[in-house]
Amino acid sequence: MKKKINKKYIPFLIVVFFLIAAQAYVSYKRHTINKQFEIVVGKVSGVQNLIKSSPSLFYNYYVGGKLYSSSKKIEGSFSKYKNRFYPVKYSLENPSWSEILLDQPVTDTIEIKKAGFSLPKKKKNRFQEF
């Protein structure tokens, strides 16, 4: 005798399958970033505040002259990260997989320029010579 699966459980099983697959993908991505990686300088470019979740921080970085963008969920205020530079660890297997290291700001202007970014020009006030 065969047991039949009740049809009302099928959508639930599909959702569970996709959640498990998504978790496996995220784990593989993190493992790949930590296994073979390089570190470059990245710049925090923006934020997206969502109603029901924590804000996402957007950042850019260059690998081999090509610009990549990624995001990371953050807790707290975006203003302390805005337009600042931080190390970005990216996977050698897939450079679009990355992780920004927000606890180690980069302040060396030579390193920032080598990474492909330009620094903002200083504004002159009316009392300085032009």
Side-chain angles (χ1 to χ4, degrees), residues 14-31:
I14 291 172
V15 169
V16 168
F17 172 76
F18 280 112
L19 288 175
I20 291 170
Q23 181 60 37
Y25 174 74
V26 169
S27 295
Y28 173 73
K29 188 174 168 181
R30 281 192 186 135
H31 174 72

Side-chain angles (χ1 to χ4, degrees), residues 3 8 39 46 82 84 91-92 112 115 123 125 129:
K3 286 187 175 182
K8 67 181 180 182
I39 295 179
K82 184 179 182 181
R84 295 215 171 109
S91 168
L92 290 174
I112 292 169
K123 294 181 181 178
N125 64 31
E129 289 186 31

Side-chain angles (χ1 to χ4, degrees), residues 2-130:
K2 290 184 177 180
K3 286 187 175 182
K4 290 186 178 180
I5 297 176
N6 194 343
K7 292 189 188 244
K8 67 181 180 182
Y9 294 120
I10 292 176
F12 174 74
L13 293 173
I14 291 172
V15 169
V16 168
F17 172 76
F18 280 112
L19 288 175
I20 291 170
Q23 181 60 37
Y25 174 74
V26 169
S27 295
Y28 173 73
K29 188 174 168 181
R30 281 192 186 135
H31 174 72
T32 303
I33 291 171
N34 291 326
K35 187 174 74 171
Q36 292 183 331
F37 65 88
E38 275 198 29
I39 295 179
V40 294
V41 176
K43 181 180 181 182
V44 174
S45 60
V47 70
Q48 180 180 24
N49 287 316
L50 300 174
I51 295 171
K52 294 188 177 186
S53 68
S54 60
S56 291
L57 186 94
F58 292 96
Y59 59 94
N60 300 319
Y61 59 99
Y62 289 95
V63 175
K66 184 175 178 185
L67 178 67
Y68 290 92
S69 297
S70 193
S71 65
K72 177 181 182 170
K73 293 202 181 291
I74 59 166
E75 298 293 326
S77 173
F78 164 70
S79 61
K80 68 180 180 180
Y81 304 114
K82 184 179 182 181
N83 293 325
R84 295 215 171 109
F85 298 93
Y86 296 92
V88 174
K89 183 165 61 168
Y90 71 92
S91 168
L92 290 174
E93 184 179 312
N94 187 346
S96 65
W97 294 351
S98 66
E99 178 183 343
I100 190 165
L101 308 172
L102 295 173
D103 57 340
Q104 306 167 2
V106 175
T107 56
D108 184 8
T109 56
I110 295 171
E111 200 174 328
I112 292 169
K113 287 181 180 179
K114 266 198 228 176
F117 294 101
S118 60
L119 297 171
K121 294 180 181 176
K122 290 185 178 182
K123 294 181 181 178
K124 294 183 179 182
N125 64 31
R126 64 183 182 171
F127 300 110
Q128 289 178 324
E129 289 186 31
F130 293 98

